[in-house]
């Protein structure tokens, strides 16, 4: 009970951050543009898959747009949250509040990522209504766990990216370069097992590689070793979140110390 009481203020703060981001997103709905991408990607991938008579990889074509939608939400939208606060003049007021700014960022990032997760549902609908392909999940319980830990890892990664983009002088370059390489390393389009062997160690430090294998395995009923994959995703999620909160605290403390918050 004491642990719950200790965590309650942090949970309450995150909830208020979620509400704040929901209000801001209603005024600037560009965060929902990711939902326009998934149907087009699903249509393209399914068309190529079915034209090639590869019914065995239909699951890949349906799951890939959902994972891409999560990464786009993390990279292009959630990662810009702090930068947009600086442009809009909200940053000084948020930093002045007597609460951990990192938790505020994490809660707001979670809102954007959860919107992006709707890309999975869109892909399913496009496959079912547009192509008559109803993708069934052989192990729905494992699939639900995999989707949940994938969203958590995306939130942790987006929190880290938001801090990196603020301190970096090459934000645009980073955003433009972290797209397709991660689609490949993450095994989103092609399973990691099909990549050259020398890429495998790099793929395994990208949470998407574990998530993609786990989600596809749950669809096909092949989830041997799934606890290891779940633990890997959770570990990478925790590491990213911890690094993001630490880096956020560092740059906020530096701005306060140098008196440059109002000039950020």
């Amino acid at each position: 009970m004491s642990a719950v009481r200790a965590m309650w203020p942090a949970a309450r703060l995150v909830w208020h951050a979620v509400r704040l981001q929901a209000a801001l997103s209603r005024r600037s709905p560009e965060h929902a543009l990711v939902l326009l991408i998934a149907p087009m990607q699903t249509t393209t991938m399914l068309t190529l898959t079915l034209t090639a008579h590869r019914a065995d990889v239909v699951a890949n074509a349906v799951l890939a747009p959902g994972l891409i939608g999560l990464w786009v939400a993390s990279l292009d939208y959630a990662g810009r949250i702090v930068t947009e606060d600086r442009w809009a003049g909200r940053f000084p007021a948020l930093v002045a509040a007597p609460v951990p700014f990192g938790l505020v960022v994490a809660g707001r990032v979670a809102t954007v990522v959860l919107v992006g997760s709707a890309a999975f549902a869109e892909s399913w609908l496009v496959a079912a209504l547009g192509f008559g392909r109803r993708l069934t999940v052989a192990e729905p319980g494992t699939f639900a766990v995999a989707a949940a830990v994938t969203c958590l890892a995306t939130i942790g990664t987006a929190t880290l990216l938001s801090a990196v983009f603020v301190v970096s002088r090459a934000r645009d370059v980073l955003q433009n370069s972290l797209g397709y390489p991660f689609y490949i390393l993450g095994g989103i389009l092609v399973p990691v097992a099909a990549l050259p062997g020398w890429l495998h160690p790099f793929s395994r430090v990208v949470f998407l590689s574990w998530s993609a294998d786990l989600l596809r395995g749950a669809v096909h009923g092949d989830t041997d070793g799934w606890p290891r994959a779940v633990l890997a995703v959770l570990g990478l999620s925790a590491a990213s979140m911890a690094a993001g909160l630490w880096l956020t605290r560092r740059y906020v403390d530096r701005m306060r110390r140098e008196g440059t918050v109002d000039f950020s």
Side-chain angles (χ1 to χ4, degrees):
M1 183 63 69
S2 59
V4 174
R5 289 179 180 176
M7 293 175 60
W8 174 247
R12 199 164 165 231
L13 172 60
V14 170
W15 171 243
H16 284 302
V18 168
R19 293 179 59 191
L20 170 63
Q21 186 58 43
L24 292 173
S25 294
R26 282 197 298 269
R27 298 176 185 175
S28 302
E30 66 270 11
H31 293 159
L33 289 178
V34 64
L35 301 181
L36 299 178
I37 301 173
M40 293 183 285
Q41 289 177 330
T42 306
T43 300
T44 302
M45 293 180 187
L46 273 176
T47 299
L48 293 173
T49 299
L50 297 176
T51 301
H53 305 289
R54 291 295 306 273
D56 56 316
V57 293
V58 167
N60 298 34
V62 176
L63 291 172
L67 290 169
I68 291 174
L70 280 179
W71 186 247
V72 170
S74 170
L75 182 64
D76 291 344
Y77 301 113
R80 290 205 314 256
I81 280 179
V82 178
T83 304
E84 289 178 351
D85 285 341
R86 297 170 70 180
W87 289 342
R90 293 187 295 264
F91 187 73
L94 290 170
V95 171
V99 294
F101 182 64
L103 290 180
V104 175
V105 173
R108 295 176 60 194
V109 160
T111 307
V112 177
V113 169
L114 291 177
V115 171
S117 67
F120 282 107
E122 288 185 314
S123 299
W124 245 273
L125 287 174
V126 169
L129 301 179
F131 293 84
R133 298 280 177 164
R134 298 182 182 276
L135 191 65
T136 57
V137 179
E139 298 185 19
T142 304
F143 187 90
V145 171
V149 297
T150 298
C151 287
L152 286 175
T154 307
I155 292 169
T157 303
T159 302
L160 174 59
L161 288 174
S162 70
V164 171
F165 290 159
V166 170
V167 300
S168 173
R169 295 183 180 180
R171 179 182 63 84
D172 293 335
V173 174
L174 283 174
Q175 280 188 310
N176 293 331
S177 61
L178 294 179
Y180 282 97
F182 276 77
Y183 299 158
I184 296 172
L185 291 176
I188 293 177
L189 304 175
V190 179
V192 172
L195 298 176
W198 63 271
L199 279 178
H200 291 186
F202 299 99
S203 293
R204 288 315 182 187
V205 297
V206 178
F207 78 90
L208 291 168
S209 66
W210 299 96
S211 296
D213 287 346
L214 193 55
L215 290 168
R216 284 192 291 260
V219 169
H220 295 302
D222 180 18
T223 55
D224 291 339
W226 70 266
R228 176 170 172 263
V230 169
L231 289 175
V233 176
L234 289 176
L236 291 170
S237 171
S240 297
M241 178 63 77
L245 294 177
W246 175 81
L247 189 56
T248 300
R249 186 175 67 252
R250 282 290 301 270
Y251 75 67
V252 169
D253 288 345
R254 186 189 66 190
M255 289 179 179
R256 286 171 173 165
R257 185 172 59 253
E258 295 176 355
T260 58
V261 172
D262 286 333
F263 304 99
S264 58

